[in-house]
Amino acid sequence: MTLTRAITVYFIKGVLAAGLILGLAACDQHKAEREQAQTELNQQQSEHSHVQRQLEQAHADLAQTEHAHAEQQERVSALKSEQVQRSARLTEYLGVHKAAALALAASGAGAITALDDETRQSVDRELGQGASGMAVMAGIVGAGYCIFNMGECAEVGSYLASYSMERSANHEHLQQVQALSQQLAQSRAGHQETVQTLVQRLDTSRAAMSDGESRIAQLRCKGPLC
């Protein structure tokens, strides 16, 4: 009786131990797969952090380029405004010294022929505004006007030469600034494209991490023995 009881006790213990082992194995049968999924998730999180840093830098680069481009655009506007004001001063000046300017133009003086094309066109345009009678007189008198008004003609010639030089320098500077502005605009477009690409990568990364977390949750150990 005692031997039978002892055998029964050992049998029961064996069954319980085997059941415990089988239960543990059964409730965590996806351990290896879960660990692999966790490793992949860790890699995804690391890559996500790296892309986030790249995006922060891309935003900084874009902001810097936009600021530089805005500055160049302001310089372009300032240079154009400066030229408009300079042209207005030329109009006012020629209105006061039209006779001398017409005489210089009619005589083909060096002060006129030395002007750049755009300045010459501006002078012709200004002298032609309501000055047909004066133009005829200047053509007749020509250089004679400047003989009796040498000081005024010299002043007008000097003014026009200075205007031409300033206008040429302004035009060259404007072209340089506009070229730089165009380069910055292209650079800004490149930064915007980079930002958009990185944002899309982050969205894809978030979705992948969410799927990974869901997968790990599905593979977690289940049951009362876990």
Side-chain angles (χ1 to χ4, degrees), residues 23 27-28 220-226:
C27 74
D28 202 13
R220 73 176 183 273
C221 180
K222 301 176 183 178
L225 299 179
C226 294

Side-chain angles (χ1 to χ4, degrees), residues 2-3 18 26 65 75 94 106 117 123 149 169 173 194:
T2 302
L3 180 59
T65 302
R75 293 181 64 189
L94 292 179
D117 292 340
V123 171
N149 299 274
H173 190 193
T194 298

